[in-house]
Amino acid sequence: MPLTKNVAAVLHGKNDLRLEERPIPKPKSNEALLQMECIGICGSDVHFWVHGSIGTYIVEKPMIIGHEASGIVIEVGSEVKHLKKGDRVAIEPGVPCRICNFCKEGNYNVCNDMIFCACPPCDGNLVRYYCQAADFLYKLPDHVSLEEGALLEPFSVAVHACKKGGVTADSVVLIMGAGPVGLCTVIATRAYGATKIIVVDLVEFRLQQALSFGADYILKINPTDSEREIIKRILEVLGEEPNISIDCTGLESCVRICMLAAKKKGVMVEVGMGKPEMNLPLFEAQCKEVDIRSCFRYCNDYPTALALVSSGKANIKPLITHHYRLEDSVQAFQVSKTGVGNAIKVMIHANPNWKP
């Protein structure tokens, strides 16, 4: 089957996303060329689109957007042994150097030379054809869909958070935020066997989704609620203090609540990425010896995430609420930005033969 035009969604700056034709890439010896299939829109993609930057990452030249993706192998390089044409794969979007001490120690997510999709200046994979290092491609079992393959990216973030937090069968978990990553974290903590899970958010629909994904309790709050009142209500609902609190929002108020609500000797995991500097209650956290742990992307978590999905222990497909073609990417981004129609995860389909 002949290849079609390589259409890409290219971000030129704030609120300037364009569809452009790019050359079809050729795979290097350790790469595979993919027909891209499913690409989910992440909050970071929307943030780059709206603001043109995230922290120190600034869009200074046109950049293909997108990093939550799956595809089908079209061609493999000469060194690739574990994949062949026609294989369906999930794409881990970050490729480290593999030779620095961080990589050798197994902490490649903090490699200083990481090439990460749609993190300036690197192009992403919201494009019809894309090349990726083959060792960061994961073959999908026949019963796992390409949509689920794309969802492995946000789900791997949640798996990483569970590993960092040490979630086990005796865990009582507080999750701040019921956005896509927060809901993934609900699914992951349930799969890891947490005893109690409470999710806090402003939006009733998302909280109801959290219940459907396995939360035991939900708590709807208002922007005007005081910090201490929210914490009091969390503890009343749970009947005890959480020994693991996970913030999936990046908001200073939520980070503070996670630190203050945590049990003595508990763990607080920061997943959300907010403003660079915050006013936090370190004195109270220190007096309780709360173990504050940062969480950045994922590291050796894709195989775990895939195993949980493949085994049926984690059902992530209902996260997808909206579907769009690659040609309708701007509309898809607008829906993801506004949340209209109770959008959770908006999925873009790059294959021109895709049918709803």
Side-chain angles (χ1 to χ4, degrees), residues 19 71 105 140 164 193-194 217 259 308 317:
L19 293 178
E105 292 166 355
L140 299 174
K164 290 296 293 283
Y217 311 102
M259 294 172 68
L308 289 173
K317 196 168 184 179

Side-chain angles (χ1 to χ4, degrees), residues 308-319:
L308 289 173
V309 172
S310 178
S311 67
K313 291 182 178 179
N315 182 15
I316 58 176
K317 196 168 184 179
L319 288 163

Side-chain angles (χ1 to χ4, degrees), residues 200-339:
V200 181
D201 199 277
L202 300 167
V203 182
E204 182 65 29
F205 169 75
R206 290 178 181 261
L207 288 170
Q208 292 301 320
Q209 292 297 108
L211 282 177
S212 71
F213 286 124
D216 298 291
Y217 311 102
I218 56 175
L219 179 61
K220 184 177 184 299
I221 60 174
N222 298 304
T224 56
D225 292 342
S226 72
E227 184 177 273
R228 295 295 174 177
E229 177 60 26
I230 293 171
I231 293 170
K232 179 182 177 182
R233 291 170 63 194
I234 290 170
L235 301 186
E236 286 176 347
V237 172
L238 274 179
E240 59 183 310
E241 295 170 312
N243 62 338
I244 300 173
S245 56
I246 305 174
D247 172 58
C248 298
T249 71
L251 297 173
E252 181 177 306
S253 59
C254 294
V255 179
R256 290 178 59 86
I257 288 168
C258 278
M259 294 172 68
L260 292 169
K263 187 177 183 179
K264 288 183 178 179
K265 303 292 291 187
V267 175
M268 183 266 174
V269 182
E270 183 54 40
V271 178
M273 300 191 77
K275 59 184 182 180
E277 296 185 11
M278 298 183 185
N279 180 24
L280 301 175
L282 290 177
F283 178 79
E284 292 188 56
Q286 185 175 8
C287 288
K288 295 194 297 181
E289 279 206 349
V290 175
D291 192 347
I292 301 169
R293 302 177 184 178
S294 58
C295 183
F296 185 59
R297 295 173 180 160
Y298 25 73
C299 187
N300 296 310
D301 298 306
Y302 257 71
T304 306
L306 179 55
L308 289 173
V309 172
S310 178
S311 67
K313 291 182 178 179
N315 182 15
I316 58 176
K317 196 168 184 179
L319 288 163
I320 305 172
T321 55
H322 292 69
H323 298 266
Y324 290 90
R325 298 182 184 278
L326 175 58
E327 291 78 6
D328 300 317
S329 292
V330 175
Q331 182 182 354
F333 266 72
Q334 188 65 32
V335 169
S336 187
K337 171 189 172 183
T338 61

